[in-house]
Amino acid sequence: QVQLVESGGGLVQPGGSLRLSCAASGSIFRISAMGWYRQAPGKQRELVATITSSGSTNYADSVKGRFSISRDNAKNTVALQMNSLKPEDTAVYYCNARIDNGIGLRNYWGQGTQVTVSS
């Protein structure tokens, strides 16, 4: 059984910062790409940022220059540093990872953490 557990969401004022963390645990042989997605009310889930096992990153245009994704391969964790937050960043943020549990690669999702940007 593989689990992704997120932490770090909350309420922040516009212009503020938050750091999200996600830890993968369970029967893990190797982790390929990891990333963060978000879903605002009434909208589809969208990619925020991804990072490969070698550290290559990809960001949505809307967060480039403000958000930074990183991972610790030894600890099976991924983090998202969010700076200069805007009200339109308000959403539930989901951690995602492609994990090989020994019988093949599969997509896993965390339970989601709420980020609210409001004054």
Side-chain angles (χ1 to χ4, degrees), residues 4-9 18-24 33-39 45-51 58-60 63 67-71 76-82 91-97 108-115:
L4 298 181
V5 178
E6 300 125 334
S7 61
L18 278 177
R19 183 177 179 85
L20 305 182
S21 297
C22 173
M34 303 184 82
W36 292 91
Y37 290 71
R38 68 186 180 187
Q39 187 167 17
R45 190 173 297 188
E46 62 176 4
L47 178 148
V48 176
T50 60
I51 184 167
N58 180 52
Y59 295 92
V63 307
F67 291 11
S68 179
I69 189 170
S70 60
R71 65 188 279 177
N76 292 336
T77 59
V78 63
L80 184 69
Q81 178 66 42
M82 304 185 293
V92 178
Y93 284 69
Y94 296 91
C95 175
N96 172 268
Y108 291 88
W109 293 92
Q111 80 284 0
T113 185
Q114 177 70 47
V115 171

Side-chain angles (χ1 to χ4, degrees), residues 72-77:
D72 185 329
N73 291 331
K75 296 181 179 179
N76 292 336
T77 59

Side-chain angles (χ1 to χ4, degrees), residues 86-108:
K86 304 175 180 180
E88 51 263 43
D89 295 317
T90 295
V92 178
Y93 284 69
Y94 296 91
C95 175
N96 172 268
R98 283 188 61 76
I99 297 174
D100 183 353
N101 62 357
I103 58 174
L105 277 171
R106 178 186 161 183
N107 234 11
Y108 291 88

